[in-house]
Amino acid sequence: MKTLFSRSKAPPGRASLIKGWITERFGLSDADLVSVAELACHEPGCPPIETVVTAHGADGQRRTWRLHKPVAEITVADVEALEARP
């Protein structure tokens, strides 16, 4: 049975690497919390696997980015292509 949260085959530390790229790209501080989650979607029209990155700022601001690929396939170029959004 599949669940909403998939078990990634990403190398250990891959999420930490993505967090670092996000932190650098958007000028986040050590006080900001960045989370990376790989999700499986079973709804029509959504990608089968997507990675959701959320930054919770120390100032209360929250930003979310969606990458339509598994954690293991995300590159620094993918993160650089993300737009800054409030």
Side-chain angles (χ1 to χ4, degrees):
M1 177 177 172
K2 290 186 177 185
T3 63
L4 176 63
F5 299 98
S6 66
R7 295 196 181 254
S8 174
K9 303 282 187 201
R14 186 71 183 175
S16 293
L17 188 58
I18 294 167
K19 289 178 186 182
W21 294 337
I22 290 286
T23 299
E24 184 176 325
R25 166 77 173 90
F26 296 105
L28 303 177
S29 74
D30 290 340
D32 298 323
L33 174 68
V34 179
S35 63
V36 176
E38 185 176 280
L39 307 173
C41 182
H42 305 288
E43 299 296 323
C46 90
I49 300 288
E50 73 175 349
T51 299
V52 179
V53 182
T54 305
H56 297 272
D59 61 0
Q61 184 180 22
R62 189 177 104 191
R63 295 184 273 181
T64 301
W65 300 273
R66 295 179 182 280
L67 297 131
H68 295 169
K69 55 175 65 174
V71 167
E73 295 177 11
I74 294 173
T75 66
V76 69
D78 294 322
V79 171
E80 289 173 351
L82 294 172
E83 293 183 28
R85 304 176 220 155

